[in-house]
Amino acid sequence: DSATVISTSTRNFPNRLGKGANVYLGSAELSSVAAVLGRLPTPEEYLKYYVELGKDQASIYKYLNFDQVESYQEAADEVKIDDRVKQAAKAAMAK
């Protein structure tokens, strides 16, 4: 209760993360820096870590591009979706 937290969620509402919690929405980068420091960073501290994260950008962010991860594509290709489920999803999306 009454904690200060950072969340990578896309929305916030009262008491979502505890009664009286002060919730700050932030990027994964900001959240990771806050986790390392144990508090919200100053702009200077954030930029220092951001530069370090940027050095490994190609490997850090690759996991978000699922279409470029061969093992994910192979697993996805094996998923079979029943035609009734596909039709229901299409109908729901059309509303």
Side-chain angles (χ1 to χ4, degrees), residues 37-77:
L37 296 175
R39 58 178 170 73
L40 294 172
T42 65
E44 294 79 17
E45 290 170 326
Y46 170 78
L47 290 174
K48 175 185 162 207
Y49 282 93
Y50 184 79
V51 169
E52 287 301 312
L53 286 169
K55 292 178 182 177
D56 294 322
Q57 183 175 0
S59 63
I60 291 173
Y61 297 108
K62 184 176 181 181
Y63 75 94
L64 294 174
N65 300 318
F66 293 115
D67 63 320
Q68 298 174 20
V69 179
E70 187 175 332
S71 60
Y72 177 82
Q73 283 293 51
E74 291 169 358
D77 289 342

Side-chain angles (χ1 to χ4, degrees), residues 1-3 5 12-23:
D1 290 350
S2 299
V5 297
N12 190 18
F13 47 88
N15 301 315
R16 183 176 145 261
L17 294 175
K19 185 177 179 184
N22 294 311
V23 180

